[in-house]
């Protein structure tokens, strides 16, 4: 196992920080020991569904505990995660599914109808797994039924394919960008160097995990055993309340999100109910250029927080 093997960060976190909270999502918290056990069961469960190593597993849903576990567990089991953009039309998604031919699609309740239509249209899809509650196969039921001892550890190197991220197809058909274990590990390492994640940090996952900007810090935070706080999607009020409640220290936004969040903070201040976001020590913006005016406002609002 090498530093370019995505099994390594979680294995290290479980060994060194096993009793520390790893992730908080939808009111539920897991330690790193618990997270590692669930990720191991995910690999065994996929084997039980007939998904061989190097085969694809698709995911269609908002940020969630299962979504985070899939980014850690699917590549770690030697399989390839295809995280689909929930904002795309069914025709666009069907093109991507037909192109990469996943056997399993994990989806949430909000995207259940789209998942069912994809199963009808795309011949490779054999199993739908619901990230939610229901009468059919759910993600939690899938994990409860499998023993990680039943599977052998896959042979993984830096060049082993870990994920496929599809472009939007602005200038033609979408292209599947192949991301290796080495690619994702290097991206996480860059974030560690720039941000300086620490075990005592709490990272807020609010960017969609189907985007590279949304998952780089899943691996980076895991690497050091930091706490990860998951929001299903961006909502300015929810972001403010979560930062206050969970004492979030690290976050990454896109400029549009920053503008909306600053508006929420300003509205609270005008109502004489200012928010306490003083726990933030580092905030990054990414994905698009930021205007000088917005950058100035962010720096003035978050005095004492490093903004980059």
């Amino acid at each position: 196992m090498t530093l370019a093997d995505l099994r390594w960060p979680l294995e290290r976190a479980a060994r060194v920080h096993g009793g520390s909270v790893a992730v908080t999502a939808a009111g539920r918290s897991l330690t790193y020991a618990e997270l590692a056990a669930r990720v191991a069961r995910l690999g065994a469960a996929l084997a039980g569904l007939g998904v061989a190593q190097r085969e694809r597993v698709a995911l269609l849903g908002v940020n969630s505990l299962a979504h985070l576990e899939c980014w850690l567990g699917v590549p770690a089991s030697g399989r390839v995660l295809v995280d689909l953009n929930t904002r795309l039309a069914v025709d666009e998604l069907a093109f991507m599914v037909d192109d990469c031919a996943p056997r399993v699609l994990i989806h949430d309740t909000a995207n259940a109808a789209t998942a069912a239509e994809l199963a009808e249209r795309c011949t490779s899809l054999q199993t739908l797994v619901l990230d939610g509650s229901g009468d059919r196969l759910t993600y939690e039921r899938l994990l409860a039924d499998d023993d990680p001892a039943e599977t052998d550890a896959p042979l993984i190197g830096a060049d082993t394919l870990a994920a496929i991220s599809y472009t939007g197809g602005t200038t033609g058909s979408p292209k599947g960008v192949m991301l290796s274990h080495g690619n994702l590990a290097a991206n996480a390492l860059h974030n560690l160097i720039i941000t300086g994640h620490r075990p005592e940090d709490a990272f807020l996952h609010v960017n969609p995990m189907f985007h590279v900007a949304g998952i780089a810090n899943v691996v980076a935070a895991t690497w050091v055993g930091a706490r990860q706080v998951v929001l299903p999607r961006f909502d300015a009020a929810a972001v403010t309340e979560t930062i206050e409640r969970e004492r979030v220290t690290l976050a990454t936004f896109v400029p549009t999100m920053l503008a909306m969040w600053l508006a929420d903070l300003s509205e609270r201040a005008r109502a004489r109910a200012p928010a306490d976001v003083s726990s933030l020590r580092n905030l990054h913006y990414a994905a698009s250029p930021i205007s000088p005016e917005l950058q100035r406002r962010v720096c003035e609002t978050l005095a004492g927080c490093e903004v980059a």
Side-chain angles (χ1 to χ4, degrees):
M1 189 177 295
T2 70
L3 292 182
D5 181 339
L6 291 185
R7 292 173 297 182
W8 189 86
L10 182 55
E11 182 179 274
R12 177 189 180 278
R15 185 175 66 251
V16 179
H17 306 285
S20 300
V21 174
V23 56
T24 298
R28 179 182 183 183
S29 293
L30 297 176
T31 66
Y32 269 104
E34 292 169 330
L35 180 63
R38 285 170 59 86
V39 164
R41 289 203 299 273
L42 175 58
L46 293 173
L49 292 177
V51 184
Q53 293 180 17
R54 307 293 188 267
E55 284 194 330
R56 284 75 163 131
V57 176
L59 194 153
L60 183 68
V62 298
N63 295 352
S64 67
L65 172 62
H67 205 146
L68 184 147
E69 289 177 341
C70 283
W71 268 106
L72 293 172
V74 174
S77 71
R79 296 166 180 87
V80 181
L81 182 64
V82 183
D83 204 340
L84 299 170
N85 188 336
T86 57
R87 300 168 184 167
L88 297 179
V90 175
D91 286 346
E92 295 170 306
L93 294 171
F95 175 89
M96 297 172 184
V97 171
D98 284 336
D99 184 61
C100 65
R103 186 187 297 267
V104 172
L105 171 61
I106 301 170
H107 65 90
D108 60 14
T109 303
N111 290 281
T114 300
E117 185 167 350
L118 290 173
E120 288 285 334
R121 295 175 56 169
C122 304
T123 57
S124 70
L125 287 178
Q126 298 180 7
T127 305
L128 297 182
V129 178
L130 175 64
D131 176 15
S133 58
D135 296 330
R136 57 185 184 77
L137 180 61
T138 66
Y139 181 84
E140 290 297 328
R141 194 173 301 140
L142 186 71
L143 263 59
D145 291 341
D146 284 275
D147 180 355
E150 295 176 2
T151 60
D152 295 326
L155 296 176
I156 295 174
D159 294 331
T160 302
L161 186 61
I164 299 175
S165 180
Y166 277 88
T167 66
T170 305
T171 57
S173 299
K175 313 297 189 299
V177 179
M178 297 187 293
L179 300 172
S180 68
H181 280 250
N183 293 150
L184 294 176
N187 198 12
L189 182 59
H190 294 161
N191 277 273
L192 285 173
I193 293 170
I194 293 170
T195 303
H197 297 62
R198 306 165 186 163
E200 61 268 25
D201 277 320
F203 190 94
L204 178 64
H205 292 295
V206 67
N207 289 307
M209 290 181 181
F210 59 70
H211 194 284
V212 172
I215 57 91
N217 283 286
V218 169
V219 180
T222 300
W223 209 315
V224 300
R227 184 163 55 96
Q228 305 182 58
V229 181
V230 179
L231 284 179
R233 60 181 64 81
F234 176 81
D235 175 271
V239 166
T240 300
E241 293 159 8
T242 301
I243 291 173
E244 283 193 297
R245 182 181 66 253
E246 301 293 340
R247 307 308 294 161
V248 169
T249 59
L250 309 175
T252 299
F253 294 86
V254 302
T256 302
M257 292 178 181
L258 274 175
M260 297 171 68
W261 183 48
L262 290 186
D264 179 70
L265 293 179
S266 296
E267 184 177 337
R268 291 169 186 264
R270 284 194 299 270
R272 298 186 179 181
D276 178 9
V277 294
S278 60
S279 60
L280 277 174
R281 70 171 185 85
N282 186 288
L283 186 145
H284 281 167
Y285 56 83
S288 64
I290 190 171
S291 70
E293 171 61 18
L294 179 56
Q295 187 179 53
R296 180 189 63 78
R297 289 170 52 210
V298 172
C299 291
E300 289 178 351
T301 303
L302 301 178
C305 176
E306 181 181 6
V307 179

